[in-house]
Amino acid sequence: MENILKYINDNRETFVEELKEFLRIPSISTNEENAGDVRKCAEYVKAQLEKIGLENNMILETPGHPVVYGEWLKAGKDKPTILIYGHYDVQPVDPVELWTDPPFEPSIRGENIFARGSADDKGQVFIHMKSIESHLKNTGKLPVNIKFIIEGEEEIGSVNLDNFIDKNKDLLKCDYVVVSDTAMFDHGVPSICYGLRGLAYMQVEVTGPNRDLHSGSFGGAVNNPINALAHIICKLKDDKGKILIDGFYDDVLKLTEKERSEYSKLPFDEKKYMEGLEINGLFGEEGYTTLERASGRPTLDCNGIWGGFQGEGAKTVLPSKAAAKISMRLVPNQEPDKIEKLFTDYVKKISPDSVKVTVKSLHGGKGAITPIDSPGMNAAVEAIKKGFGKTPVFTREGGSIPVVNTFQTLLNAPTILLGFGLPDENAHSPDEHLNLNNFHNGIISIAHYFNELSKI
Ligand code: BES
Ligand code: ZN
């Protein structure tokens, strides 16, 4: 390990410079106009896999953006096979005017590198690439068999990936899946994530009269779609944060007493949390703590709402249409398809006859939970201790990585979530960044992880 660690230390700056090239590619998967950039990014990833010494590297087509695959399978049949998963696509950058530097011109300020995708997830994918490079360049081998898949549609719900995995079960067969696409619990608190939430994302459209109307002539006599939509939204959740959709909680996997006790031991400072967000109070389901609400319990949020006049000044108008995007974060055992149906039925039930209401499902994904006592988890604990000098804590995350559930069901492989981002690194928001110490320690941890895994 000594020469591998020396290589990682000697190349600390070089690795950051190389990461910049990855971050310069605007691979925004949801934007049609960036489709060429997404493809270019897939080609970049394939070239990197080639460069670090993986074999059988290829771009595999899907009906959407492609998946990139590479492998190194010469560790021997007695060694475990590890499938590393990540994503090379990124979120849109708007509101772009709130970025200090342009989102695709990576800049280093203080201990951080700023760019869209730096934390979510290119920087974290790069950690794995550089750990592999460090092993192969210095010893000519890896301690375990490695398969690497990097997809281009995670930020749009991994819509084609389940099918891809189903069709490529042999290619992807493995003992463990390792994913770095989550955050550490806090600065200086490395963590291993054992649970993710699922998602059901809906759009509700409300149509009133066949055209915008003078609000003086018609107001009071014709239902206003914005008011009607506001009423519908208010009936989805009570003022204590409980979701009112019939049957919504039926399948929720309850938090165990043991889990709740572990949650309560995490080093969480509620006051600092509020200060960081500049809020005066917290809000959430009664009977649960902030950490439980944010990752172990389901929730419902309006993500966007529009309709009517949004320009400067006042325009007296009763609009013809209004709409909202509403997402529900789910917990394990809640099925997105079932929740979409319950949501649709409930919205139809509470909608007034005086407007037309349509409900669409945009995308969804299942939550996941992994046992924390597997040999792969124990090996991860050892690796993090070596990389960060601290024992990691176990956490659940509120975000979603839909494919994790698929890995567990289709490949029957436990997934280890070793995240090196931080909760305040602005993923999906302006000025996204990645802490460069965590980037460096992440490379060291993964290099150790391969060794630790070879012992199991
Ligand atoms: N890296 C995130 C997942 C994540 C978010 C982990 C927050 C830990 C904390 C991932 O790239 C992501 O954003 N996923 C989407 C999935 C969705 C589009 C199905 C999410 O959670 O919104
Ligand atoms: Zn993301």
Side-chain angles (χ1 to χ4, degrees):
M1 258 324 259
E2 224 166 90
N3 50 347
I4 295 171
L5 294 176
K6 181 172 184 314
Y7 182 84
I8 297 174
N9 285 321
D10 290 349
N11 285 284
R12 190 175 176 142
E13 309 293 321
T14 314
F15 289 166
V16 175
E17 279 312 304
E18 289 177 353
L19 170 62
K20 287 184 182 169
E21 199 186 335
F22 195 7
L23 297 175
R24 282 193 195 103
I25 309 170
S27 47
I28 306 170
S29 48
T30 196
N31 288 355
E32 199 53 50
E33 68 267 25
N34 288 100
D37 299 310
V38 177
R39 164 94 23 197
K40 201 173 127 204
C41 201
E43 278 155 14
Y44 166 88
V45 170
K46 181 182 169 230
Q48 288 305 304
L49 298 187
E50 203 81 50
K51 187 178 146 198
I52 61 176
L54 293 187
E55 299 172 349
N56 203 15
N57 304 306
M58 48 195 167
I59 292 182
L60 297 165
E61 297 302 330
T62 74
H65 301 303
V67 170
V68 188
Y69 175 87
E71 63 185 25
W72 195 91
L73 303 176
K74 295 174 178 162
K77 287 222 160 31
D78 56 327
K79 296 292 178 196
T81 299
I82 311 302
L83 177 71
I84 301 167
Y85 160 86
H87 62 97
Y88 66 82
D89 65 320
V90 299
Q91 285 275 331
V93 295
D94 57 285
V96 72
E97 65 281 5
L98 296 185
W99 287 76
T100 308
D101 290 309
F104 295 108
E105 291 175 25
S107 61
I108 293 175
R109 277 179 272 133
E111 292 183 339
N112 302 307
I113 184 160
F114 288 78
R116 171 57 85 231
S118 49
D120 184 7
D121 179 38
K122 290 175 174 175
Q124 302 210 54
V125 166
F126 218 64
I127 286 175
H128 287 268
M129 289 178 176
K130 293 297 131 180
S131 303
I132 293 172
E133 173 185 318
S134 305
H135 272 276
L136 285 175
K137 285 270 176 319
N138 288 284
T139 64
K141 55 186 181 7
L142 284 162
V144 286
N145 301 303
I146 295 279
K147 297 180 176 180
F148 207 147
I149 76 163
I150 308 114
E151 71 150 322
E153 298 190 312
E154 197 274 347
E155 299 292 9
I156 48 172
S158 300
V159 274
N160 293 297
L161 200 60
D162 283 6
N163 201 13
F164 176 88
I165 293 170
D166 198 25
K167 280 203 202 130
N168 290 284
K169 275 195 209 130
D170 282 341
L171 182 73
L172 302 175
K173 191 172 179 296
C174 61
D175 299 297
Y176 283 100
V177 181
V178 178
V179 181
S180 295
D181 190 23
T182 49
M184 292 173 28
F185 184 71
D186 199 354
H187 294 256
V189 189
S191 49
I192 298 174
C193 173
Y194 71 94
L196 291 163
R197 287 200 283 197
L199 185 70
Y201 201 120
M202 314 297 289
Q203 180 156 321
V204 179
E205 294 170 1
V206 181
T207 307
N210 58 2
R211 58 191 189 277
D212 286 3
L213 302 174
H214 190 295
S215 66
S217 315
F218 293 90
V222 174
N223 201 357
N224 179 323
I226 300 182
N227 291 37
L229 178 60
H231 275 285
I232 293 170
I233 292 172
C234 285
K235 287 181 188 149
L236 294 173
K237 205 169 162 177
D238 74 12
D239 58 0
K240 297 206 171 84
K242 182 168 178 253
I243 294 155
L244 301 172
I245 298 168
D246 304 315
F248 182 85
Y249 291 99
D250 284 0
D251 302 327
V252 164
L253 181 69
K254 291 207 172 61
L255 290 167
T256 62
E257 279 317 309
K258 169 112 181 41
E259 263 186 303
R260 298 195 76 177
S261 140
E262 293 301 322
Y263 260 115
S264 72
K265 290 185 205 144
L266 290 169
F268 178 65
D269 182 338
E270 201 154 272
K271 196 162 159 274
K272 251 177 69 190
Y273 180 79
M274 289 200 286
E275 278 166 10
L277 300 172
E278 297 181 41
I279 50 176
N280 297 327
L282 289 162
F283 172 84
E285 194 186 359
E286 262 189 329
Y288 294 93
T289 65
T290 299
L291 286 180
E292 290 168 348
R293 289 170 181 164
S295 57
R297 293 290 299 169
T299 189
L300 179 149
D301 279 289
C302 196
N303 296 248
I305 182 161
W306 64 98
F309 179 64
Q310 321 257 330
E312 210 183 316
K315 178 186 178 198
T316 45
V317 64
L318 195 163
S320 160
K321 282 182 192 311
K325 291 189 190 278
I326 298 166
S327 70
M328 288 159 283
R329 292 285 171 176
L330 312 176
V331 293
N333 293 355
Q334 283 184 298
E335 286 288 330
D337 291 350
K338 180 172 171 193
I339 295 292
E340 284 166 12
K341 179 155 188 329
L342 292 176
F343 178 95
T344 308
D345 291 349
Y346 180 76
V347 168
K348 295 269 168 176
K349 186 178 98 180
I350 61 172
S351 297
D353 292 338
S354 48
V355 288
K356 288 187 218 75
V357 176
T358 56
V359 182
K360 282 193 243 174
S361 149
L362 299 185
H363 60 67
K366 291 180 188 168
I369 201 138
T370 342
I372 59 172
D373 53 2
S374 68
M377 278 286 191
N378 298 338
V381 172
E382 290 313 307
I384 297 279
K385 276 200 223 160
K386 289 183 175 151
F388 283 81
K390 282 184 182 167
T391 305
V393 295
F394 283 99
T395 58
R396 282 172 71 157
E397 283 277 15
S400 312
I401 309 176
V403 70
V404 169
N405 190 293
T406 314
F407 286 139
Q408 304 197 156
T409 48
L410 288 185
L411 299 181
N412 201 13
T415 303
I416 316 287
L417 298 150
L418 285 179
F420 302 108
L422 284 169
D424 59 1
E425 285 183 333
N426 293 358
H428 295 204
S429 161
D431 277 353
E432 177 179 352
H433 55 280
L434 178 69
N435 181 292
L436 290 173
N437 296 323
N438 294 339
F439 175 66
H440 179 70
N441 291 337
I443 299 172
I444 297 177
S445 303
I446 297 297
H448 279 294
Y449 193 31
F450 296 148
N451 263 357
E452 295 296 326
L453 283 166
S454 76
K455 299 178 198 162
I456 65 180

